[in-house]
């Protein structure tokens, strides 16, 4: 939208100081800062690999008969990973990508344009969605609810803009137990990598110090922007209080998260392009194999609250 604010990729010291006391400002600054490198940092693509991943998360959360939803809204779209790949998978025909970060909205609409997808973009606060009642038949989000201060208020807004019978699907939300071990693994990996790459033979694997310092400052803001972790049962109760029906939460990634978090942290700590295609395939296929183990074995013996990712779906009453 033409009235959307401009991105702030390089926040001032005063803005950063204010962000420590304002989670929404922290989200804007943190995600504007990350917008230009976010796809690379999280190995996001818009090819078969991520199309299959996004569609798989959707099918894991909700029933789908194969017919596309006509108009979909994504909250907290980031660079567009979830909705754009769902559109390529045939889940939705047209979409609107929204985020609190102007930088992320700009990145998502650029990605949509490159892919030839019919997508609009808008800077939107998830607690106050600026669209009329009954505007969409699908609302989606990936790793967004944990950034929103009042999750129940956001879900009420989601249900308001959904047409009767419309569905929401949110994926990639951290569970309380999963977040604890993921953060620990990430911290250990970051410390080990940044320490070892000080050594002479490994200095070629070290990012410039100013980049490491900037990453550390941004990571510190995660304590502000990552507001919630979730117990799956409580997340279901929150959705029902908001007015949803047919609510169901599902969790995934236990063994896969044990690999995924160290891998992603290591990738963020070394220079871009250093690891190459073989590393990417190792990471991807390793994640695939451990995800298979999670789905076919561990999900039957490990409590669902121990898995890292929570997915939640529900519909607007008719």
């Amino acid at each position: 939208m033409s009235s959307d604010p401009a991105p702030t990729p390089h926040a001032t010291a005063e803005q950063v100081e204010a962000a420590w006391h304002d989670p929404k400002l922290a989200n804007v600054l943190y995600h504007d800062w990350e917008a230009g490198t976010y796809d690379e940092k999280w190995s996001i693509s818009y090819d078969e690999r991520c199309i299959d991943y996004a569609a798989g998360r959707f099918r894991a959360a909700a029933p789908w008969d194969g017919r596309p939803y006509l108009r979909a809204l994504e909250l907290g779209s980031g660079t567009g990973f979830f909705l754009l790949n769902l559109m390529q998978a045939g889940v939705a025909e047209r979409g609107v990508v929204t985020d609190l970060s102007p930088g992320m909205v700009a990145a998502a609409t650029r990605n949509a344009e490159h892919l030839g997808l019919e997508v609009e973009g808008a800077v939107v606060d998830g607690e106050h969605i600026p669209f009329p009642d009954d505007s969409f038949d699908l609302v989606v989000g990936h790793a967004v609810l944990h950034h929103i201060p009042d999750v129940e208020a956001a879900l009420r807004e989601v249900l308001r803009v959904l047409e009767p019978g419309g569905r929401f699907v949110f994926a990639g939300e951290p569970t309380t137990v999963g977040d604890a071990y993921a953060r620990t693994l990430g911290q250990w990996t970051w410390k080990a990598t940044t320490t070892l790459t000080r050594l002479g033979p490994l200095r070629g694997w070290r990012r410039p110090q100013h980049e490491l310092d900037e990453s550390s400052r941004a990571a510190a803001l995660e304590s502000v922007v990552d507001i919630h972790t979730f117990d799956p049962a409580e997340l279901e109760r929150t959705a029902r209080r908001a007015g949803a029906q047919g609510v169901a939460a599902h969790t995934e990634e236990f063994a896969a998260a044990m690999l995924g978090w160290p891998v992603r942290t290591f990738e963020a700590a070394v220079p871009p392009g250093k690891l190459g295609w073989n590393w990417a395939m190792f990471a991807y296929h390793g994640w695939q194999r451990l995800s298979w183990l999670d789905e076919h074995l561990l999900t039957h013996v490990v409590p669902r609250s121990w898995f890292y990712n929570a997915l939640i779906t529900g519909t607007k009453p008719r």
Side-chain angles (χ1 to χ4, degrees), residues 76-94:
S77 63
T79 58
F81 154 74
F82 201 37
L83 181 57
L84 301 188
N85 280 314
L86 288 177
M87 292 177 71
Q88 292 191 100
V91 174
E93 285 188 0
R94 292 177 291 124

Side-chain angles (χ1 to χ4, degrees), residues 13-317:
E14 291 77 12
Q15 288 173 316
V16 172
E17 180 62 29
W20 286 102
H21 311 286
D22 183 343
K24 290 186 180 180
L25 175 60
N27 266 292
V28 172
L29 298 181
Y30 177 78
H31 289 101
D32 274 2
W33 174 80
E34 282 213 314
T37 58
Y38 194 77
D39 284 351
E40 178 187 358
K41 174 181 177 181
W42 295 102
S43 299
I44 289 172
S45 64
Y46 299 91
D47 53 17
E48 182 179 353
R49 178 178 64 90
C50 281
I51 293 170
D52 289 347
Y53 177 86
R57 307 290 66 71
F58 190 90
R59 288 191 297 266
W64 181 47
D65 62 8
R67 291 179 295 179
Y69 289 85
L70 299 181
R71 184 165 167 80
L73 169 71
E74 181 171 16
L75 289 186
S77 63
T79 58
F81 154 74
F82 201 37
L83 181 57
L84 301 188
N85 280 314
L86 288 177
M87 292 177 71
Q88 292 191 100
V91 174
E93 285 188 0
R94 292 177 291 124
V96 178
V97 289
T98 70
D99 201 288
L100 198 59
S101 158
M104 287 296 192
V105 174
T109 52
R110 283 196 303 270
N111 284 335
E113 183 178 358
H114 292 158
L115 294 167
L117 297 175
E118 190 174 346
V119 169
E120 304 166 37
V123 175
V124 166
D125 181 338
E127 296 175 9
H128 308 282
I129 302 175
F131 295 103
D133 297 358
D134 308 336
S135 296
F136 302 93
D137 54 354
L138 176 66
V139 175
V140 299
H142 190 278
V144 59
L145 294 181
H146 69 285
H147 293 311
I148 299 175
D150 191 335
V151 174
E152 187 174 333
L155 291 174
R156 284 197 297 269
E157 278 288 271
V158 165
L159 292 166
R160 180 185 63 78
V161 300
L162 277 173
E163 64 183 30
R167 179 173 294 279
F168 65 82
V169 172
F170 291 96
E173 299 298 338
T175 65
T176 301
V177 175
D179 182 72
Y181 61 70
R183 285 186 183 276
T184 300
L185 289 169
Q187 290 165 357
W188 287 350
T189 304
W190 180 265
K191 185 174 180 60
T193 304
T194 56
T195 298
L196 290 173
T197 52
R198 290 179 184 275
L199 304 176
L202 298 177
R203 284 179 182 169
W205 288 84
R206 187 175 181 82
R207 277 184 182 262
Q209 190 59 44
H210 73 275
E211 292 184 8
L212 293 174
D213 291 343
E214 193 171 4
S215 293
S216 295
R217 286 194 296 271
L221 271 183
E222 285 183 343
S223 64
V224 183
V225 303
D226 292 347
I227 302 172
H228 308 287
T229 58
F230 298 101
D231 174 79
E234 179 55 33
L235 186 56
E236 289 172 332
R237 289 191 287 270
T238 301
R240 293 189 186 103
R241 286 195 303 269
Q245 67 179 20
V247 174
H250 170 72
T251 58
E252 58 184 10
E253 290 195 24
F254 181 63
M258 302 288 187
L259 171 70
W261 276 97
V263 163
R264 285 190 286 266
T265 305
F266 178 64
E267 290 170 345
V270 300
K274 188 72 173 178
L275 296 169
W277 180 253
N278 288 337
W279 170 269
M281 288 299 96
F282 153 75
Y284 177 54
H285 292 306
W287 176 86
Q288 277 188 318
R289 294 185 184 97
L290 293 177
S291 293
W292 185 95
L293 179 67
D294 288 335
E295 180 181 356
H296 292 89
L297 175 61
L298 297 182
T299 191
H300 301 295
V301 296
V302 175
R304 68 172 179 166
S305 61
W306 291 17
F307 286 73
Y308 178 76
N309 276 328
L311 308 86
I312 182 81
T313 190
T315 59
K316 180 173 180 173

